[in-house]
Amino acid sequence: MTQRTRNWLLLAPAGTWFLVMLIVPLSVVFIFSFGERAPSGGVVPAFTFEQYANLPARWTAFKNTMTLAPVGTLSALVIAYPLAYFLAIKANPKWKTILLVLVIVPFWTSILIRSYAWIFLLGGRGIPALLDFVGIEGVRLINTPFAVLVGIIYGYLPLMVFPIFVSLDKLDKRLLEASSDLGAKPWRTFVQITLPLSIPGIATGCMLVFILLMGEYLIPALLGGGKVFFVGNALVDLFLQSRNWAYGSAVAVTLVVVMLITVTVYMRLISRLGASREDVSIM
Amino acid sequence: MRLYTICVYLFLYIPIGVIALFSFNAGRHASQLQGFSTKWYGKALNNPFVMDALETSLMVAFASALCASVFGTMAAVALQGIKGPVRAVFDLLIYVAVMIPGIVIGIATLIGLVTVFDQLNPLIAAIWPGGFEPPKLRMGMGSLIAAHTMFLMALVVIIVRARLAGMDRALTEASSDLYATPMGTFRQVTLPMIFPAILAGFLLSFTFSFDDFIIAFFVAGSETTLPIYVFSSIRRGVTPEINAIGTMVLGVSLLMLITAQLLLQRGGKKSR
């Protein structure tokens, strides 16, 4: 058996699987998005842009997603950065790994159970009851955009911390010493050295969190109580309740396209930012 | 700074802690602590719906993690040795599998498979010998395992490939210089070195599949996995029983994750 045939044999199961379970299904979604709704709930083959023309009907879902996803990403960044900074630069090296693992582990546990925990905490008998006890009355937290935001930050904070930690950990600590030896104040060292060098980590973290948030369903479903809904919630409604496959497919395709465009633009911006910084450093 | 760090850790762990604490609550009400008891655990474990869902989840997680580890490792090893368009295509597929939101994977699998099944079922019925009930393809455990395997395969390829890339090439070259067959080299040199990564990939895949809600929500058909059960119970209201189930689920995931982490670290040290 030549090496060539062996490689083909090794790739065959994975290749077939990707073909049947990824390429075919995604193509079906794409094709159906140009179809028409069948009275029985399926799709009548057609070539029409009717479904896409109808997209504004779900405008609120897109608007909520495109507002809360960036806001959630930025909030997670603001909270994650100091933590990553502490872990990478200030923490005792002996404890570093264990502390990092403690941040990441929650990400790999059930997001369902973790969001459920917040129903518990934000619900009537949780934090509002505590606030009531200290004299602040009538606070309603659950089923508000705030609750969804808290859920988002809680769910995705670990994913933001990790890449930032990696980029700060790689940073040559002698640069920081050199900067302070040359008389720079700590703040200036941070702004001119630490922050710029951690941009790749920030970029990766933001992208990961943003991508996942675009397709989020559980957090708004559990903490938004039907009032704050994302595209994901619209999709569940279209496919599992009203069984409008053609329109649902158009919404799904739009979601993926919007995601791809955002990520591409974002990558361009980041690489331009990186390029201009190099220009500065050459000067 | 230190205070801030402590606050973030509290933020991360208090909600989990509260769930665990209330799962031992003796009282009926979910939000008032009334003494210690493990009765909710007993109740959850004696609930036939919970046990059914748990069984389904465990079977799906085991089967898809196993398929993903085997096929993913095979692909990663093959991809190591090739360049050109085939590799580019696989890189793209892996990228797409990881990038596409889980909800879109769920939807695509649902309508893709239902459409294919609708075409195939009359065909099978037509060629099936008379007198027997022809088998009917439908959404269920099979489709769920297939969908999870697809996504997890991409994950295993990424993990195993990272391990392979960190491996010293001289070792495999030395092995073949000493007249080992390619299979012998793989079994005696490559496999032992990437094994921790494969096992870690398996454990991460198992955890992911076990915890997955959104893909299962679309493709599980009439089957109920544990996350689907928990989701529908939450919609009916918060009960101490869910706290107990949640605590157990978190406990199992934590155990798996810590093992995976240790494996990845040990594997990393050994190769250096």
Side-chain angles (χ1 to χ4, degrees):
Chain A
M1 192 163 49
T2 65
Q3 182 156 4
R4 212 182 139 81
T5 28
R6 208 181 59 228
N7 279 342
W8 277 108
L9 283 176
L10 285 172
L11 283 175
T16 318
W17 216 292
F18 277 132
L19 178 71
V20 176
M21 296 303 296
L22 184 68
I23 301 176
V24 170
L26 287 179
S27 315
V28 170
V29 172
F30 189 70
I31 295 168
F32 277 12
S33 72
F34 297 102
E36 270 165 9
R37 183 183 191 177
S40 58
V43 173
V44 181
F47 186 74
T48 159
F49 288 94
E50 201 183 306
Q51 309 302 338
Y52 287 98
N54 213 359
L55 280 177
R58 295 283 173 167
W59 166 241
T60 328
F62 278 99
K63 196 190 75 191
N64 284 341
T65 310
M66 291 313 283
T67 333
L68 273 169
V71 171
T73 308
L74 285 180
S75 318
L77 173 63
V78 169
I79 296 176
Y81 198 92
L83 179 68
Y85 182 85
F86 179 83
L87 290 179
I89 293 177
K90 301 278 180 195
N92 183 340
K94 226 167 61 188
W95 293 102
K96 211 162 158 173
T97 319
I98 182 85
L99 283 174
L100 183 69
V101 169
L102 278 177
V103 175
I104 296 167
V105 153
F107 179 72
W108 278 91
T109 62
S110 166
I111 183 106
L112 173 65
I113 307 285
R114 285 186 297 137
S115 308
Y116 162 73
W118 282 99
I119 300 187
F120 207 72
L121 288 174
L122 297 175
R125 290 161 178 240
I127 292 173
L130 274 181
L131 289 176
D132 213 39
F133 189 71
V134 295
I136 308 167
E137 280 170 32
V139 180
R140 238 183 47 100
L141 293 173
I142 193 80
N143 300 347
T144 60
F146 174 77
V148 177
L149 189 63
V150 170
I152 287 171
I153 296 172
Y154 185 67
Y156 292 107
L157 190 64
L159 199 60
M160 185 66 94
V161 172
F162 187 64
I164 301 178
F165 169 84
V166 171
S167 66
L168 284 172
D169 197 42
K170 275 196 308 204
L171 187 152
D172 191 344
K173 308 292 182 293
R174 284 174 302 183
L175 288 174
L176 307 181
E177 283 164 26
S179 168
S180 79
D181 286 351
L182 292 169
K185 296 254 168 6
W187 179 246
R188 201 156 161 220
T189 305
F190 175 77
V191 172
Q192 296 206 318
I193 297 177
T194 317
L195 190 61
L197 286 174
S198 61
I199 282 184
I202 297 176
T204 313
C206 287
M207 202 174 79
L208 289 176
V209 173
F210 186 76
I211 287 175
L212 285 176
L213 278 179
M214 295 277 295
E216 188 58 53
Y217 165 75
L218 269 179
I219 296 173
L222 293 175
L223 299 171
K227 292 194 186 71
V228 187
F229 50 91
F230 278 26
V231 179
N233 305 68
L235 286 172
V236 167
D237 176 46
L238 286 170
F239 279 95
L240 297 181
Q241 261 105 50
S242 46
R243 288 184 49 81
N244 192 346
W245 285 9
Y247 185 48
S249 297
V251 173
V253 171
T254 312
L255 175 67
V256 173
V257 169
V258 169
M259 201 181 90
L260 286 179
I261 292 174
T262 322
V263 169
T264 314
V265 169
Y266 176 79
M267 298 269 247
R268 282 272 162 78
L269 277 177
I270 291 294
S271 69
R272 187 169 299 168
L273 202 69
S276 64
R277 181 138 293 114
E278 265 167 29
D279 298 344
V280 172
S281 68
I282 289 165
M283 279 155 66
Chain B
M1 194 93 202
R2 180 159 299 196
L3 187 72
Y4 177 81
T5 309
I6 294 171
C7 286
V8 178
Y9 278 97
L10 287 178
F11 172 68
L12 283 174
Y13 282 93
I14 279 183
I16 298 177
V18 167
I19 293 275
L21 179 69
F22 276 85
S23 70
F24 291 108
N25 187 7
R28 263 216 69 76
H29 289 288
S31 49
Q32 270 175 325
L33 276 178
Q34 297 169 329
F36 176 88
S37 147
T38 52
K39 73 173 176 190
W40 297 112
Y41 285 87
K43 209 159 181 208
L45 293 176
N46 283 319
N47 181 338
F49 295 109
V50 174
M51 293 320 279
D52 266 3
L54 178 67
E55 201 187 314
T56 310
S57 279
L58 286 175
M59 273 161 65
V60 169
F62 184 77
S64 45
L66 192 67
C67 293
S69 312
V70 174
F71 300 149
T73 306
M74 282 164 65
V77 169
L79 287 173
Q80 188 71 0
I82 52 177
K83 288 188 177 66
V86 179
R87 192 188 167 125
V89 166
F90 265 87
D91 282 346
L92 183 70
L93 286 174
I94 291 161
Y95 182 71
V96 170
V98 176
M99 276 272 290
I100 296 274
I103 192 165
V104 176
I105 291 185
I107 288 167
T109 314
L110 170 72
I111 68 172
L113 287 186
V114 166
T115 310
V116 173
F117 289 172
D118 280 350
Q119 305 294 318
L120 284 181
N121 276 332
L123 216 73
I124 295 173
I127 59 166
W128 205 251
F132 295 102
E133 178 79 14
K136 215 167 170 218
L137 296 171
R138 55 159 71 98
M139 304 304 281
M141 210 184 271
S143 56
L144 184 50
I145 292 171
H148 277 176
T149 300
M150 191 281 295
F151 173 81
L152 297 172
M153 227 164 46
L155 186 75
V156 172
V157 173
I158 293 171
I159 294 174
V160 173
R161 231 200 204 165
R163 198 78 268 279
L164 280 168
M167 228 174 80
D168 194 345
R169 285 230 146 186
L171 289 172
T172 48
E173 280 162 20
S175 169
S176 63
D177 286 351
L178 293 168
Y179 301 107
T181 58
M183 195 58 212
T185 303
F186 178 75
R187 242 192 32 228
Q188 300 206 308
V189 180
T190 315
L191 192 60
M193 294 199 63
I194 60 173
F195 191 70
I198 301 174
L199 203 54
F202 176 85
L203 292 174
L204 286 181
S205 302
F206 188 95
T207 320
F208 179 87
S209 170
F210 189 72
D211 286 341
D212 167 66
F213 168 76
I214 195 70
I215 297 178
F217 197 37
F218 284 99
V219 301
S222 57
E223 297 282 348
T224 304
T225 64
L226 198 57
I228 295 178
Y229 176 82
V230 170
F231 181 77
S232 49
S233 322
I234 292 173
R235 296 228 130 165
R236 275 183 263 121
V238 175
T239 67
E241 202 182 333
I242 305 177
N243 290 340
I245 299 172
T247 310
M248 286 190 278
V249 169
L250 290 179
V252 171
S253 318
L254 285 183
L255 210 70
M256 292 259 168
L257 288 166
I258 292 167
T259 319
Q261 183 67 32
L262 288 176
L263 282 169
L264 279 177
Q265 264 176 15
R266 218 185 50 191
K269 276 199 192 109
K270 225 190 249 167
S271 75
R272 252 175 244 148

